[in-house]
Amino acid sequence: MQATRKSTTLSLTRGLAAAGLLAASLATPALAQTVNLNFSTLNPAAGTFVSCNTTERCATTAGGAMSFSSGGLTVLASGFTRSNTGAASGGIAMQDPNSPTPSPWIGLGVYAAGQTGNLSTDQIGLNDVLKLDFGNQLVTLRDLRFYDANHGSSFDTNGKWGLSLTAPTAGSTFTQYAFAANGVNDIPDITGKTFYLYGLSNATNQSFYLGNMNVTAVPEPGTLGLMAAGLGVVGMVSRRRKALVQG
């Protein structure tokens, strides 16, 4: 009888251990994992873009979003134009072809509202805003790689660009950063779900395309709780099993 009881207890213990490991494993993918979102090579999802200006890709409508996915993350990119008061109206996010190769695309830019295609003014320049929306996923951005209006990596370090977590409205503010000379902007980590990149000049070496960036998913509190609970169960089961073996 005692052997049967011990066998049943061990079976229950194994079941709890399996449940704990499952809970921990379900939480693990959402923990910090850095993904390089490279808009020079990524293709937007079908149905979120149209061909425009012969060789480019554009969001289907003004203010519409192009969808890009990589490494378990999805971002919606859309464009806006700021008025003299700072309020935003519909611009068009676009993906500009690179010339020369190797990358098929230089990155993301913005056409101003009402603008007809013009390759010289599709970078993120004065009054242009590129919105990056990660939906419900909290992420941290770092190492934003820009290319200048000539598709190069030569920036005026006296020039500025802007970044904000809130939508552009009349009177809204944003943080300004100086351009890195080589276009790799190693700014302090900024965490949120939606980001707005501001162009502040039309100068060749002070306007830009977003080529790529490193993005780290931040686990939600519930995810951390699930993992902690799972690991707690595994620890409890381990102690229980040891006690049974010793008994």
Side-chain angles (χ1 to χ4, degrees), residues 17-227:
L21 288 171
L22 177 60
S25 65
L26 287 174
T28 300
L31 295 180
Q33 175 186 1
T34 298
V35 175
N36 181 258
L37 290 179
N38 190 343
F39 301 109
S40 298
T41 57
L42 286 174
N43 293 314
T48 68
F49 73 97
V50 293
S51 296
C52 60
N53 201 27
T54 307
T55 59
E56 301 171 355
R57 292 167 167 172
C58 289
T60 55
T61 60
M66 302 171 73
S67 178
F68 296 87
S69 296
S70 180
L73 292 174
T74 296
V75 60
L76 301 179
S78 52
F80 297 91
T81 301
R82 297 167 62 222
S83 68
N84 291 333
T85 65
S89 57
I92 298 178
M94 56 81 63
Q95 191 176 31
D96 198 40
N98 192 16
S99 180
T101 53
S103 295
W105 309 95
I106 195 63
L108 299 182
V110 174
Y111 275 133
Q115 177 181 327
T116 56
N118 184 329
L119 284 172
S120 67
T121 54
D122 55 14
Q123 65 272 15
I124 303 171
L126 182 64
N127 292 328
D128 292 331
V129 181
L130 179 67
K131 177 183 177 182
L132 301 170
D133 183 0
F134 289 86
N136 292 323
Q137 178 62 60
L138 192 66
V139 300
T140 297
L141 299 189
R142 57 175 64 89
D143 303 328
L144 281 75
R145 178 64 161 98
F146 295 162
Y147 294 98
D148 63 39
N150 288 331
H151 294 192
S153 301
S154 180
F155 285 91
D156 180 356
T157 56
N158 292 316
K160 299 291 181 71
W161 59 280
L163 179 61
S164 173
L165 296 175
T166 56
T169 58
S172 64
T173 60
F174 49 86
T175 302
Q176 295 189 29
Y177 300 93
F179 284 104
N182 64 356
V184 181
N185 297 274
D186 184 17
I187 63 172
D189 292 354
I190 181 169
T191 300
K193 296 180 179 180
T194 305
F195 305 85
Y196 298 85
L197 274 63
Y198 290 76
L200 303 177
S201 171
N202 284 329
T204 299
N205 57 359
Q206 294 185 25
S207 53
F208 61 98
Y209 300 95
L210 175 60
N212 64 77
M213 59 186 179
N214 288 327
V215 181
T216 303
V218 178
E220 298 287 353
T223 299
L224 292 174
L226 179 61
M227 184 173 186

